[in-house]
Amino acid sequence: AMDTDLSSQDRKDLDKFIKFFALKTVQVIVQARLGEKICTRSSSSPTGSDWFNLAIKDIPEVTHEAKKALAGQLPAVGRSMCVEISLKTSEGDSMELEIWCLEMNEKCDKEIKVSYTVYNRLSLLLKSLLAITRVTPAYRLSRKQGHEYVILYRIYFGEVQLSGLGEGFQTVRVGTVGTPVGTITLSCAYRINLAFMSTRQFERTPPIMGIIIDHFVDRPYPSSSPMHPCNYRAGEDNGAVYPSVEDSQEVCTTSFSTSPPSQCVFTVTKAHFQTPPPVVTDTLKVPVMGLAFSHQLSSSRLSYQPAALGVGSADMGYPILFAGGLNAAHPHQLIGPGKEGGVPPIPSQPAHGTQADQERICTPLDGVHYSAATPSSSEDTETVSNSSEGKCGSPHDLLETIFIRKVGAFVNKPINQVTMANLDIPFAMFAPKNVELEDNDPMVNPPDSPETESPLQGSLHSEGSSGSSTGNTHDDFVMIDFKPAFSKDDILPMDLGTFYREFQNPPQLSSLSIDIGAQSMAEDLDSLPEKLAVHEKNVKEFDAFVETLQ
Amino acid sequence: PRRTCRRAHSPGAAPAMNCRAEVLEVSVEGRQVEEAMLAVLHTVLLHRSTGKFHYKKEGTYSIGTVGTQDVDCDFIDFAYVRVSSEELDRALRKAVGEFKDALRNSGSDGMGQISLEFYQKKKSRWPFSDECIPWELWTIKVNVVNLANEQERQICREKVGEKLCEKIINIVEVMNRHEYLPKMPTQSEVDNVFDTSLKDVQPYLYKISYQITDSLGTSVTTTMRRLIKDTLAL
């Protein structure tokens, strides 16, 4: 009756349900913000590995981040799991859009049956989450992301922080499930005021920069709400053993973004991470981002790099680019899939999941560059087979990431000259580096394009090129961000800007050239008498013709 | 063998006392009717469908997996999630298509309602036929508007999209109340609770019917009932 404590088996089951519910919640939310349509297949034969009887794909990195944030804990009173969805423009402005909160309160329902009712209600709650994630304003924003902005996520565990949502934010409740240990609540607080701040405003008021940086590095300002570091351990509380997580750097959070078709496949070797913590500059400018993006898009669009992360769409072809605060111990992967992309071989998926993979919109892939498959598999196995929960392996150190950059049309430097000195900030390759690197970076300093006749071509080089070894004559020109009106860096291989650049110096029409014109006139005059003679011969025919017209 | 299921209450009358009833209202343009109805019906059925049951010995059963997919609307700025089942989608599209046609042909002001009812079958002894006892009834009242120009249509796209977002939130609120649901049946009873005819998912037994309101506003001029779920014996 009321005083009966939860049996230990029920308790174990309940903890497991809550843990996997939290992981699936994160998957649903993040997948709903990738900008693509999600499709999974129903299967009448149960495989026993689809939690809550729902086909929800597990993106390995997302599970990894969620587990990292939870650090072996479960949502409890005062300790909520939050998924923050934010938007970041190509100019570097960022804004929080939504906070999804999975909370636990003290109201217990002791009578409820764990293995049956709680499980089914959690399943229902996930269905509600699927529905609600499509009706908040951020869904439509995320479907249109790619060129001007990307959508990022951040998972944290602890106190809910809603201050970044601006004034008048609204809340929607997804649902609640009562359990014998408390009531699980899932809700979303979302921003109403979507006014953007321009980059210029940011330069004038440096303290606000902290908000942008917060997404990727530790919050430097004491006024911000306290944040738990990623390796937060509550071992003191109950003495449980948690997976060993190496000490994080100042970087505490990670973000995941879906970026426009950038053709770079980034994987970072662990060696690169032996760098000192990044200096927090007062303006986290990414000044060349805009230009770099458009160049990158136009130059390398012709060859797409495969690799997606389990959720892809053949018609949109948006890659899943991982940018984010990088923990030296957990080198991140940055992968840019392309149009012919698809899924890397997701290892150890349950048989049912594999079916789901094949039925999805994305096309299969050879996944050559996806090097971190192996460690993730152990995570996946743990996730889906729900056996041996006590396994505390730390596959993180096995995660190996290698930086490769796909060569684009404007690049004439060999790949290995690209160095990433500082990988602890997102989009590191676009961040301001020291001058030397900037000169060598083909993204900043594109070499001469094939047609160099027009002075306008030269203007596409940056001012900083005066120090470069090319000794080009274009020093006097200032870099222009060449954006023809109405042009969009589209998925089509040839956008207006490219077209214009390539065809702005066409040869003269031959008929307009004076020499040729004069020549043909002389010919015409010479041939006139001949033509007149012919017509005279046929005069009778012409007359007859005219008669018929009367 | 299917048995005739006689209604536990007469057509048009209020549902039984313990049947939960929810009413949603939308105003849409003619071409938006189908998508708006499908969005609402699919959202309800998403919550009211499970995976296929597989009964094993000892009276236990396992449940199959329900897949989901995103659907974008063409005439409304809106997207929704539905269960991945082509059979279910076809059944709903058929019902909604008939409703739309009836609305168009009725010559009325373009007002009508479509209902989705979940029921349980209760076996009776011979010679009485089984009863159908509804336990949840969703009614969507539709008002079709005519718009004059393209600008109004564009605004309507957005407005209806926003309204549907509200409806989805309303539906989820109701689902979250965790009120009465039929108890999980034994193998012999499963067809009295669930529709087991689909091959990949298993919704609760449901019926879709509709009514067109005449211009005088009376609730029924001609009651046209289309039973999508065939419960009549052949």
Side-chain angles (χ1 to χ4, degrees):
Chain A
M2 285 292 281
D3 295 338
T4 313
D5 271 341
L6 212 52
S7 76
S8 77
Q9 181 57 44
D10 269 353
R11 180 70 207 235
K12 271 203 287 196
D13 285 346
L14 184 61
D15 284 349
K16 203 157 57 168
F17 294 170
I18 296 177
K19 170 183 167 180
F20 284 103
F21 179 76
L23 296 177
K24 288 294 182 182
T25 294
V26 177
Q27 290 287 348
V28 169
I29 295 168
V30 172
Q31 289 175 28
R33 298 287 176 264
L34 289 176
E36 302 157 348
K37 285 164 72 164
I38 306 300
C39 177
T40 60
R41 209 164 145 249
S42 301
S43 163
S44 69
S45 351
T47 57
S49 49
D50 283 312
W51 275 94
F52 309 105
N53 308 117
L54 284 171
I56 297 172
K57 183 83 195 70
D58 283 316
I59 300 179
E61 280 67 20
V62 174
T63 302
H64 175 73
E65 289 309 316
K67 283 185 172 174
K68 205 163 75 169
L70 288 170
Q73 296 185 84
L74 295 174
V77 179
R79 292 208 304 257
S80 311
M81 186 186 77
C82 300
V83 182
E84 176 192 283
I85 300 291
S86 58
L87 178 151
K88 188 173 162 82
T89 67
S90 52
E91 283 140 26
D93 297 327
S94 111
M95 184 165 78
E96 283 176 37
L97 297 176
E98 301 171 321
I99 314 275
W100 296 83
C101 306
L102 178 59
E103 300 170 287
M104 184 77 113
N105 72 30
E106 285 140 348
K107 188 169 159 201
C108 300
D109 183 346
K110 298 248 186 246
E111 307 282 316
I112 204 170
K113 289 211 188 101
V114 170
S115 62
Y116 169 69
T117 311
V118 172
Y119 190 82
N120 287 334
R121 288 187 180 176
L122 289 173
S123 175
L124 197 69
L125 188 52
L126 275 175
K127 291 173 179 173
S128 295
L129 182 63
L130 281 163
I132 297 287
T133 42
R134 273 64 178 173
V135 305
T136 54
Y139 180 71
R140 306 208 57 222
L141 280 174
S142 68
R143 290 292 300 268
K144 293 181 192 159
Q145 70 184 291
H147 302 290
E148 285 162 22
Y149 61 86
V150 292
I151 303 293
L152 311 175
Y153 79 84
R154 177 171 85 96
I155 308 172
Y156 63 90
F157 188 73
E159 272 179 48
V160 180
Q161 293 148 25
L162 300 178
S163 50
L165 292 175
E167 277 179 22
F169 63 85
Q170 291 204 358
T171 329
V172 60
R173 155 106 67 111
V174 183
T176 60
V177 173
T179 78
V181 301
T183 299
I184 296 168
T185 311
L186 187 52
S187 59
C188 174
Y190 58 95
R191 170 184 282 272
I192 295 294
N193 171 17
L194 287 170
F196 272 106
M197 287 191 284
S198 71
T199 324
R200 266 167 260 125
Q201 273 183 314
F202 271 91
E203 283 167 33
R204 266 185 259 127
T205 54
I208 302 176
M209 293 311 296
I211 297 173
I212 292 186
I213 300 172
D214 277 347
H215 284 278
F216 310 112
V217 300
D218 196 4
R219 289 168 191 257
Y221 300 105
S223 57
S224 2
S225 32
M227 223 168 77
H228 296 274
C230 283
N231 60 346
Y232 177 71
R233 260 165 262 199
E236 313 81 304
D237 290 352
N238 53 19
V241 175
Y242 295 104
S244 64
V245 172
E246 295 183 49
D247 288 342
S248 65
Q249 316 305 305
E250 62 300 319
V251 174
C252 293
T253 59
T254 42
S255 296
F256 157 88
S257 77
T258 309
S259 83
S262 148
Q263 302 317 308
C264 301
V265 173
F266 305 108
T267 38
V268 178
T269 54
K270 218 171 164 191
H272 285 277
F273 281 100
Q274 322 286 342
T275 53
V279 173
V280 172
T281 59
D282 53 355
T283 53
L284 188 67
K285 273 189 290 213
V286 282
V288 297
M289 181 82 100
L291 186 62
F293 258 49
S294 59
H295 268 225
Q296 186 69 348
L297 285 167
S298 58
S299 64
S300 46
R301 198 172 286 118
L302 303 172
S303 51
Y304 283 94
Q305 199 57 282
L309 286 158
V311 183
S313 160
D315 50 352
M316 294 298 278
Y318 278 161
I320 300 175
L321 178 78
F322 275 2
L326 301 172
N327 182 325
H330 305 272
H332 239 323
Q333 291 168 32
L334 299 169
I335 295 181
K339 244 185 175 166
E340 292 107 34
V343 296
I346 305 281
S348 311
Q349 284 295 317
H352 166 74
T354 315
Q355 273 177 315
D357 285 357
Q358 285 158 5
E359 293 306 313
R360 259 180 293 109
I361 302 169
C362 47
T363 56
L365 215 251
D366 62 342
V368 170
H369 298 280
Y370 196 88
S371 62
T374 320
S376 303
S377 68
S378 64
E379 306 257 27
D380 272 343
T381 318
E382 192 191 333
T383 305
V384 298
S385 70
N386 58 38
S387 63
S388 61
E389 285 313 313
K391 189 160 55 157
C392 300
S394 55
H396 314 294
D397 29 309
L398 295 176
L399 265 177
E400 199 191 70
T401 36
I402 312 138
F403 241 82
I404 303 169
R405 190 189 288 131
K406 177 104 184 117
V407 177
F410 289 121
V411 175
N412 65 358
K413 296 260 196 273
I415 294 171
N416 53 18
Q417 281 194 16
V418 174
T419 59
M420 301 295 140
N422 191 339
L423 292 151
D424 287 323
I425 43 179
F427 299 116
M429 56 180 299
F430 301 127
K433 307 188 236 311
N434 55 57
V435 175
E436 180 199 1
L437 274 176
E438 203 167 66
D439 279 352
N440 289 336
D441 187 354
M443 296 289 283
V444 175
N445 217 353
D448 289 340
S449 59
E451 308 123 46
T452 49
E453 290 174 320
S454 157
L456 189 58
Q457 297 283 342
S459 67
L460 296 176
H461 294 256
S462 79
E463 208 164 19
S465 67
S466 51
S468 73
S469 56
T470 57
N472 57 58
T473 55
H474 304 298
D475 295 350
D476 299 332
F477 289 90
V478 178
M479 179 162 69
I480 301 174
D481 195 5
F482 187 65
K483 280 185 180 155
F486 307 116
S487 84
K488 280 196 284 194
D489 280 333
D490 227 327
I491 298 176
L492 298 170
M494 182 73 89
D495 81 330
L496 186 58
T498 319
F499 178 88
Y500 189 84
R501 277 192 290 275
E502 289 186 17
F503 294 102
Q504 61 191 339
N505 286 315
Q508 287 273 359
L509 287 175
S510 58
S511 53
L512 293 179
S513 133
I514 294 176
D515 294 337
I516 296 171
Q519 203 176 9
S520 61
M521 178 120 114
E523 278 172 11
D524 282 343
L525 287 170
D526 286 346
S527 66
L528 263 179
E530 217 180 283
K531 286 187 182 156
L532 280 171
V534 168
H535 292 322
E536 272 180 37
K537 263 195 343 195
N538 299 328
V539 120
K540 284 211 181 96
E541 279 177 44
F542 286 125
D543 286 345
F545 174 66
V546 169
E547 291 272 320
T548 66
L549 296 175
Q550 306 293 1
Chain B
R2 291 182 180 172
R3 301 246 202 99
T4 308
C5 176
R6 70 182 156 78
R7 302 296 305 242
H9 57 86
S10 50
M17 287 270 292
N18 57 358
C19 170
R20 181 166 61 242
E22 305 294 332
V23 178
L24 304 165
E25 291 190 45
V26 287
S27 288
V28 294
E29 234 201 318
R31 61 184 187 162
Q32 296 172 321
V33 169
E34 282 187 271
E35 287 181 333
M37 297 303 104
L38 285 170
V40 171
L41 295 175
H42 267 304
T43 300
V44 174
L45 276 162
L46 168 68
H47 289 82
R48 293 285 179 249
S49 301
T50 77
K52 299 279 294 175
F53 282 13
H54 295 270
Y55 286 92
K56 302 184 270 213
K57 292 176 192 151
E58 319 109 32
T60 60
Y61 62 93
S62 57
I63 309 180
T65 301
V66 172
T68 56
Q69 56 190 68
D70 280 307
V71 181
D72 286 340
C73 294
D74 293 324
F75 302 111
I76 314 174
D77 286 346
F78 186 70
Y80 60 93
V81 176
R82 70 167 173 91
V83 164
S84 287
S85 164
E86 292 316 307
E87 286 173 279
L88 185 64
D89 190 38
R90 269 200 300 272
L92 293 188
R93 282 179 185 275
K94 182 160 180 266
V96 165
E98 290 177 15
F99 173 61
K100 185 199 78 173
D101 289 339
L103 264 181
R104 206 170 42 202
N105 300 335
S106 67
S108 74
D109 288 343
M111 281 181 61
Q113 62 183 51
I114 190 166
S115 299
L116 171 62
E117 177 191 289
F118 293 101
Y119 65 94
Q120 271 176 270
K121 274 200 266 198
K122 188 171 149 195
K123 296 250 188 315
S124 304
R125 294 217 187 140
W126 187 89
F128 300 108
S129 46
D130 295 340
E131 270 185 82
C132 292
I133 305 174
W135 51 271
E136 190 172 75
L137 174 66
W138 296 85
T139 303
I140 313 165
K141 294 196 167 151
V142 179
N143 178 32
V144 179
V145 298
N146 291 314
L147 298 177
N149 60 46
E150 199 52 45
Q151 192 189 8
E152 282 183 28
R153 276 193 204 102
Q154 181 57 36
I155 296 173
C156 190
R157 277 186 73 101
E158 291 164 18
K159 286 266 174 262
V160 172
E162 286 166 25
K163 273 288 165 200
L164 285 176
C165 289
E166 285 172 32
K167 302 306 161 194
I168 303 302
I169 294 175
N170 293 346
I171 294 170
V172 163
E173 265 168 18
V174 172
M175 298 297 178
N176 179 56
R177 289 186 211 146
H178 300 303
E179 289 169 339
Y180 173 77
L181 282 180
K183 136 171 121 152
M184 284 299 152
T186 58
Q187 190 165 15
S188 55
E189 294 280 307
V190 71
D191 286 310
N192 294 336
V193 175
F194 286 102
D195 176 358
T196 54
S197 68
L198 291 96
K199 70 177 198 312
D200 43 15
V201 296
Q202 191 175 284
Y204 282 101
L205 281 173
Y206 71 93
K207 282 192 189 96
I208 300 180
S209 55
Y210 60 85
Q211 297 172 357
I212 307 298
T213 313
D214 73 354
S215 3
L216 293 176
T218 57
S219 61
V220 172
T221 307
T222 50
T223 302
M224 294 162 70
R225 289 193 165 271
R226 293 283 181 266
L227 299 178
I228 302 304
K229 271 313 303 160
D230 182 18
T231 58
L232 298 172
L234 292 169

